[in-house]
């Protein structure tokens, strides 16, 4: 299963690395690809994870999830 998160607030490579690290620490996330250009993160899941978990983790890091597909 994959989810694509649209994330506002990322400005540089350091931001994308920060988001990638935070997402990889979530239990059930097997792969993360963050794109600064697209302001998004594609997350591959090994189990179902609620959208609220992603929103909370990203918010704690100082960014905002504007949509999850």
């Amino acid at each position: 299963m994959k989810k694509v998160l649209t994330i506002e607030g990322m400005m540089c490579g350091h931001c994308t690395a920060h988001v990638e690290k935070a997402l990889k620490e979530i239990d059930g996330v097997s792969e993360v690809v963050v794109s600064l250009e697209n302001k998004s993160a594609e997350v591959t899941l090994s189990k179902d994870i609620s959208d609220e978990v992603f929103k909370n983790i990203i918010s704690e890091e100082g960014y905002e999830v504007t949509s999850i597909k």
Side-chain angles (χ1 to χ4, degrees):
M1 179 191 315
K2 289 190 178 191
K3 291 190 179 191
V4 177
L5 290 66
T6 304
I7 302 170
E8 290 295 326
M10 296 187 300
M11 304 294 213
C12 63
H14 177 74
C15 294
T16 59
H18 202 216
V19 167
E20 182 176 340
K21 181 178 184 288
L23 291 171
K24 283 184 175 178
E25 290 177 356
I26 299 171
D27 182 40
V29 172
S30 56
E31 184 180 352
V32 178
V33 177
V34 180
S35 169
L36 180 60
E37 184 178 321
N38 297 329
K39 296 182 180 179
S40 67
E42 184 176 302
V43 183
T44 303
L45 308 174
S46 62
K47 66 180 186 180
D48 192 32
I49 300 171
S50 78
D51 291 352
E52 288 303 312
V53 170
F54 293 112
K55 289 178 181 179
N56 291 338
I57 293 289
I58 297 301
S59 177
E60 287 174 12
E61 299 300 324
Y63 307 99
E64 180 186 0
V65 174
T66 56
S67 74
I68 299 177
K69 297 178 185 170

